[in-house]
């Protein structure tokens, strides 16, 4: 009897006792491991899972679950969070911003910000991104900043009217444009050597290196030249003692000077100088342009013997 009783007691003493699995969900892995081992369990397997609820390193669940009875020394499977699902970013440079936003929103990206810049790329094209490609991110926790092309930087074309060729060169250099002088035209209002017209007109949005054509003034058109052709008779002035002269005597020469005022001559210098000993005829020609005044005078021995004045309108 005693032996039987001892056998029963020994069996009961040697039999593993039952313990309850403690609650470790939400605990950091190290703390959960220490608690389970303290209670008498053994961590026989560690598994990782993504979780939207638990941060990386926190316990998601155990098998067996908390509250279950198990024998001391039994193993427990520990499931540890590695955080939310991550997504590797692609290189979106060169793609359409609108299409890329729709694509990323389907994957849970909520913070997508465009920053516009001038670019040679078409409007709406992505020309830069942050974060860069190949980075793994959590969509709902990540802000993506896209640099988006707003097209080429255009400038309003200035009014080139009245500019000289030198001023055009300076403007073309500063505005990075190509300016061509395509022709010249006469103008009553625009000074010679200045711009009359331009194509395209002022205010047109221009890209760099685009062409602008200008027409330059050749000045006012030439007016018809009017001519006055006149024959004048220059009398020889008889000396007071001519009655005493005999046939065959030589007359004293008289010096003649003819002055003309027209588009080619001034009254500063004579156009013709000669001597006469008798009445002499001369043909003079006067050329006038519109708006000019002209005239002539004849001097005999430094004395004016004939003169006349007239303007352009008086000539036929």
């Amino acid at each position: 009897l005693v032996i039987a009783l001892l056998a029963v007691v020994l069996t009961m003493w040697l039999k593993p006792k039952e313990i309850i699995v403690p609650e470790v969900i939400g605990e950091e892995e190290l703390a959960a491991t220490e608690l389970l081992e303290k209670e008498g369990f053994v961590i026989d397997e560690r598994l990782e899972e993504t979780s939207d609820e638990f941060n990386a390193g926190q316990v998601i669940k155990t098998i067996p679950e908390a509250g279950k009875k198990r024998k001391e020394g039994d193993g427990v499977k520990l499931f540890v969070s590695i955080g939310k699902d991550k997504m590797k970013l692609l290189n979106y440079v060169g793609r359409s911003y609108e299409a890329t936003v729709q694509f990323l929103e389907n994957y849970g990206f909520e913070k997508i910000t465009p920053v516009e810049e001038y670019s040679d790329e078409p409007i709406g094209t992505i020309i830069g991104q942050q974060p860069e490609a190949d980075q793994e991110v959590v969509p709902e926790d990540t802000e993506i900043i896209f640099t988006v092309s707003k097209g080429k930087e255009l400038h309003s074309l200035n009014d080139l009217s009245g500019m000289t060729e030198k001023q055009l060169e300076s403007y073309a250099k500063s505005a990075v444009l190509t300016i061509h002088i395509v022709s010249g035209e006469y103008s009553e209002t625009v000074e010679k050597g200045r711009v009359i017209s331009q194509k395209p007109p002022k205010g047109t949005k221009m890209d760099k290196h685009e062409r602008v054509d200008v027409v330059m003034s050749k000045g006012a058109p030439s007016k018809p030249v009017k001519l006055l052709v006149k024959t004048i008779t220059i009398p020889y002035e008889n000396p007071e003692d001519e009655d005493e002269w005999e046939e065959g005597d030589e007359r004293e020469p008289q010096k003649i000077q003819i002055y003309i005022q027209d588009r080619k001559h001034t009254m500063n210098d004579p156009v013709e100088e000669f001597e006469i000993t008798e009445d002499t005829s001369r043909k003079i020609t006067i050329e006038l342009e519109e708006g000019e005044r002209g005239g002539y005078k004849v001097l005999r021995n430094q004395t004016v013997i004939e003169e006349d004045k007239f303007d352009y309108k008086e000539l036929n």
Side-chain angles (χ1 to χ4, degrees), residues 58-188:
Q58 291 182 323
V59 175
I60 299 173
K61 64 180 179 179
T62 59
I63 296 179
E65 299 173 351
K68 298 289 186 178
K69 289 183 179 182
R70 292 292 185 271
K71 293 178 181 179
E72 187 178 8
D74 279 357
V76 176
K77 290 183 180 180
L78 203 62
F79 292 81
V80 181
S81 171
I82 57 173
K84 298 178 180 180
D85 283 328
K86 292 185 178 181
M87 173 181 173
K88 181 181 283 189
L89 291 176
L90 302 178
N91 183 4
Y92 302 106
V93 174
R95 299 186 180 184
S96 163
Y97 171 75
E98 295 297 335
T100 302
V101 168
Q102 292 180 4
F103 169 78
L104 292 175
E105 286 178 345
N106 292 333
Y107 282 88
F109 286 91
E110 299 173 355
K111 302 174 184 177
I112 303 175
T113 304
V115 177
E116 292 187 326
E117 286 186 5
Y118 289 112
S119 165
D120 290 340
E121 295 297 324
I123 296 174
T125 302
I126 295 173
I127 57 177
Q129 70 181 64
Q130 193 62 242
E132 296 179 353
D134 296 329
Q135 294 192 36
E136 291 191 344
V137 298
V138 177
E140 59 266 35
D141 295 341
T142 302
E143 179 182 10
I144 298 182
I145 299 176
F146 285 126
T147 305
V148 183
S149 171
K150 59 179 180 179
K152 297 180 179 180
E153 185 175 10
L154 303 179
H155 297 278
S156 293
L157 180 62
N158 283 5
D159 184 0
L160 308 182
S161 299
M163 283 191 179
T164 63
E165 190 169 347
K166 187 174 182 180
Q167 289 172 326
L168 288 176
E169 291 175 359
S170 177
Y171 176 71
K173 185 177 180 179
S174 63
V176 196
L177 295 173
T178 301
I179 298 179
H180 284 269
I181 299 174
V182 294
S183 65
E185 294 180 1
Y186 290 109
S187 173
E188 297 280 1

Side-chain angles (χ1 to χ4, degrees), residues 179-313:
I179 298 179
H180 284 269
I181 299 174
V182 294
S183 65
E185 294 180 1
Y186 290 109
S187 173
E188 297 280 1
T189 57
V190 180
E191 182 183 343
K192 182 179 180 181
R194 295 185 179 271
V195 175
I196 296 175
S197 62
Q198 66 188 78
K199 185 179 181 181
K202 66 176 182 179
T204 301
K205 295 297 184 181
M206 303 290 292
D207 188 13
K208 293 179 179 179
H209 305 294
E210 284 197 282
R211 171 171 170 158
V212 182
D213 293 336
V214 297
V215 176
M216 303 295 286
S217 172
K218 295 166 65 175
S222 299
K223 304 295 182 180
V225 175
K226 290 186 177 181
L227 300 179
L228 171 66
V229 180
K230 184 175 182 179
T231 300
I232 59 175
T233 299
I234 306 169
Y236 179 82
E237 185 179 34
N238 295 323
E240 295 179 357
D241 57 351
E242 185 177 15
D243 294 338
E244 299 178 2
W245 284 17
E246 296 182 1
E247 187 176 351
D249 290 343
E250 293 186 0
R251 289 184 169 183
E252 182 178 355
Q254 295 176 353
K255 183 178 181 180
I256 304 300
Q257 294 174 309
I258 300 176
Y259 292 81
I260 291 177
Q261 176 73 46
D262 66 357
R263 71 188 189 98
K264 294 181 178 181
H265 308 96
T266 68
M267 290 290 188
N268 295 328
D269 299 299
V271 296
E272 194 173 1
E273 290 185 283
F274 53 92
E275 292 182 340
I276 63 173
T277 56
E278 60 181 353
D279 293 349
T280 304
S281 295
R282 279 288 189 275
K283 183 181 291 185
I284 62 172
T285 301
I286 297 175
E287 300 180 7
L288 293 181
E289 293 180 345
E290 185 175 6
E292 289 185 331
R293 290 182 57 81
Y296 71 92
K297 64 180 177 180
V298 180
L299 277 70
R300 184 179 57 214
N301 291 339
Q302 304 300 317
T303 301
V304 176
I305 61 172
E306 184 178 348
E307 63 179 332
D308 198 1
K309 295 180 180 179
F310 30 81
D311 61 27
Y312 180 87
K313 294 180 181 179

